[in-house]
């Protein structure tokens, strides 16, 4: 849904409450609560105007948002109504890194994955690919699939990978035909963990992306682009084939990891496009103590594509309903075939 449609929808939602305001009260602009509401709305709007990094890239007319929403703010809104009002404005950004947090709720924009097929079934993976005897090397769940293919599931980059975890994995893959790393439904976490795992796969240092920071209120006020790189680990992968499995719930640091892997030789991204998340969020606080955040950087591939919109797979595969009925994961099966046949 584009931002003008969202604005229209929100205005309709609040129309009934606006009509309840008497003419006398509507003209009384000295109400402290209304001034507070207006001030907080304008504060958030202005901060996004000045520091959000994707207004031009996403072709959002932010001035129109202010014109449309400013008249809606009024003192009759209770806290929950005002929270929903501000959350709806953040939703216009269509950014999973844009949130508002209060003591009673946390807004979230999840259309980046809810509008697409899940392409993952945790029960099928647990029962039929990890099984009873998988190894747990820190956050890495590891099993050996048919044909001596090592399968690794990593569900969150918030969980620390230690050197000894990678040594265990290295011992296993040294005798294997290939490696499948599954990060489906991984919503991100620590970028340092993404770089660490990518560095373990790399035989030499390399640049995987470029980043710049929003530095001022102008639409073109950005720092110079700087290179983002991966430092290779001592582990030598050689010609070991690596398949990375993705779906739309791969976001933020996991999205960055996908970009890192895409630059390595003998790799393939298999599954669905990632959900995106290419900006580093900054935080702010409203006068009532509510915390908000939104993206303040841009990240592009070396060839110029924005990571904000996700990384496309090399081999596009959706989960097949008949496969699921048989307890098979179509994306894992496609990865095994790629390892065997390429």
């Amino acid at each position: 849904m584009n931002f003008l449609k969202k604005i229209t929808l929100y205005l309709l939602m609040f129309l009934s409450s606006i009509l309840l305001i008497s003419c006398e009260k509507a003209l009384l602009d000295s109400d402290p609560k209304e001034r507070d509401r207006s001030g907080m709305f304008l504060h958030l709007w202005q901060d996004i105007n000045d520091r959000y990094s994707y207004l031009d890239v996403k072709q959002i007319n932010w001035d129109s948002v202010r014109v449309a929403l400013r008249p809606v703010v009024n003192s009759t809104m209770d806290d929950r109504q005002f929270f929903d009002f501000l959350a709806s404005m953040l939703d216009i950004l269509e950014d999973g890194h844009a949130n508002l947090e209060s003591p009673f709720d946390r807004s979230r924009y999840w259309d980046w994955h809810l509008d697409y097929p899940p392409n993952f079934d945790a029960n099928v993976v647990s029962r039929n690919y990890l099984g009873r005897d998988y190894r747990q090397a820190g956050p890495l769940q590891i099993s050996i699939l048919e044909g001596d293919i090592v399968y690794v599931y990593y569900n969150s980059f918030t969980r620390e990978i230690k050197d000894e975890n990678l040594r265990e994995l290295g011992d296993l893959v040294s005798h294997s035909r290939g490696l499948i790393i599954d990060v489906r439904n991984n919503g991100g976490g620590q970028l340092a963990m993404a770089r660490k795992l990518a560095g373990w796969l790399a035989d030499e240092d390399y640049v995987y992306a470029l980043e710049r920071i929003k530095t001022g209120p102008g639409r073109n006020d950005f720092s110079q682009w700087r290179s983002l790189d991966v430092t290779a680990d001592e582990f030598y992968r050689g010609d070991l084939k690596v398949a990375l499995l993705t779906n739309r719930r791969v976001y933020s640091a996991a999205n960055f990891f996908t970009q890192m892997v895409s630059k390595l030789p003998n790799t393939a991204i298999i599954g669905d496009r990632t959900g995106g998340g290419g900006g580093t969020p900054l935080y702010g606080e409203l006068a009532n103590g509510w915390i908000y955040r939104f993206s303040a950087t841009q990240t592009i591939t070396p060839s110029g594509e924005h990571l904000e919109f996700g990384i496309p797979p090399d081999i596009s595969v959706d989960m097949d309903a008949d496969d699921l009925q048989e307890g098979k994961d179509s994306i894992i099966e496609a990865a095994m075939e790629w390892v065997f046949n390429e």
Side-chain angles (χ1 to χ4, degrees):
M1 184 185 298
N2 64 41
F3 78 92
L4 288 177
K5 289 182 179 178
K6 288 185 176 181
I7 293 172
T8 302
L9 179 61
Y10 190 82
L11 288 172
L12 289 173
M13 288 170 57
F14 273 82
L15 182 60
S16 58
S17 65
I18 293 173
L19 291 175
L20 292 175
I21 303 172
S22 67
C23 291
E24 180 180 0
K25 190 168 185 178
L27 293 172
L28 188 62
D29 62 0
S30 61
D31 186 289
K33 187 175 181 181
E34 182 165 354
R35 287 203 309 274
D36 288 345
R37 296 281 194 244
S38 297
M40 285 186 282
F41 161 75
L42 291 173
H43 173 90
L44 180 57
W45 180 91
Q46 190 68 55
D47 205 11
I48 293 170
N49 182 75
D50 293 348
R51 298 197 291 171
Y52 183 64
S53 55
Y54 287 109
L55 289 177
D56 273 10
V57 172
K58 295 181 179 181
Q59 299 182 331
I60 299 172
N61 187 333
W62 199 238
D63 290 325
S64 295
V65 174
R66 181 182 184 278
V67 170
L69 294 186
R70 173 62 187 87
V72 180
V73 184
N74 63 77
S75 59
T76 67
M77 291 180 177
D78 61 27
D79 280 351
R80 292 184 182 276
Q81 288 176 320
F82 186 55
F83 179 91
D84 291 343
F85 170 77
L86 295 181
S88 71
M89 182 171 72
L90 286 173
D91 282 352
I92 293 168
L93 303 177
E94 298 186 349
D95 190 330
H97 282 142
N99 309 97
L100 178 66
E101 187 166 354
S102 72
F104 53 83
D105 204 355
R106 184 176 190 270
S107 74
R108 53 214 170 267
Y109 178 81
W110 280 353
D111 289 3
W112 49 269
H113 74 84
L114 291 178
D115 285 346
Y116 302 93
N119 279 322
F120 183 72
D121 188 309
N123 187 57
V124 168
V125 169
S126 177
R127 287 178 174 272
N128 301 330
Y129 294 93
L130 288 172
R132 298 179 185 273
D133 301 321
Y134 70 87
R135 302 193 189 193
Q136 185 82 45
L140 307 177
Q141 296 177 301
I142 308 170
S143 64
I144 309 299
L145 304 181
E146 179 184 352
D148 290 326
I149 297 175
V150 176
Y151 171 79
V152 178
Y153 183 65
Y154 185 25
N155 68 354
S156 175
F157 281 99
T158 61
R159 305 177 65 192
E160 182 182 3
I161 303 173
K162 296 182 178 180
D163 292 342
E164 51 264 37
N165 305 145
L166 294 178
R167 283 196 293 269
E168 172 66 19
L169 181 56
D171 289 342
L172 290 172
V173 300
S174 64
H175 306 291
S176 72
R177 185 167 182 174
L179 172 64
I180 296 173
I181 300 177
D182 193 344
V183 294
R184 288 175 296 172
N185 282 29
N186 187 321
Q190 303 177 60
L191 192 56
M193 290 300 102
R195 287 196 301 267
K196 183 169 188 173
L197 187 53
W200 180 79
L201 293 170
D203 291 334
E204 60 184 8
D205 300 351
Y206 66 98
V207 173
Y208 70 90
L210 303 172
E211 179 189 63
R212 65 178 182 173
I213 303 169
K214 189 74 164 60
T215 57
R219 291 293 182 263
N220 296 315
D221 289 344
F222 284 90
S223 66
Q224 295 297 311
W225 291 104
R226 71 178 185 97
S227 298
L228 301 179
D229 55 18
V230 169
T231 302
D233 197 340
E234 294 179 358
F235 174 74
Y236 179 69
R237 178 168 68 93
D239 59 359
L240 179 74
K241 299 175 69 174
V242 178
L244 179 67
L245 311 189
T246 59
N247 66 354
R248 288 281 179 163
R249 288 195 70 175
V250 171
Y251 198 76
S252 193
N255 182 57
F256 276 66
F257 178 68
T258 304
Q259 172 60 21
M260 295 173 196
V261 173
S262 75
K263 305 305 293 182
L264 293 170
N266 295 320
T267 62
I269 313 300
I270 300 176
D272 199 0
R273 189 183 192 96
T274 60
T280 301
L282 61 74
Y283 290 77
E285 183 175 355
L286 297 177
N288 61 0
W290 295 353
I291 304 298
Y292 62 86
R293 69 171 191 165
F294 52 78
S295 298
T297 67
Q298 293 179 353
T299 312
I300 59 173
T301 69
S303 56
E305 293 85 10
H306 281 276
L307 268 63
E308 175 72 4
F309 305 114
I311 309 300
D314 299 308
I315 303 171
S316 180
V317 181
D318 286 324
M319 297 283 277
D320 181 80
D322 291 336
D323 282 348
L324 280 176
Q325 287 279 352
E326 297 176 8
K328 293 181 179 180
D329 184 306
S330 308
I331 297 174
I332 295 178
E333 296 294 327
M336 294 174 65
E337 183 178 354
W338 175 80
V339 170
F340 283 133
N341 296 333
E342 286 292 318

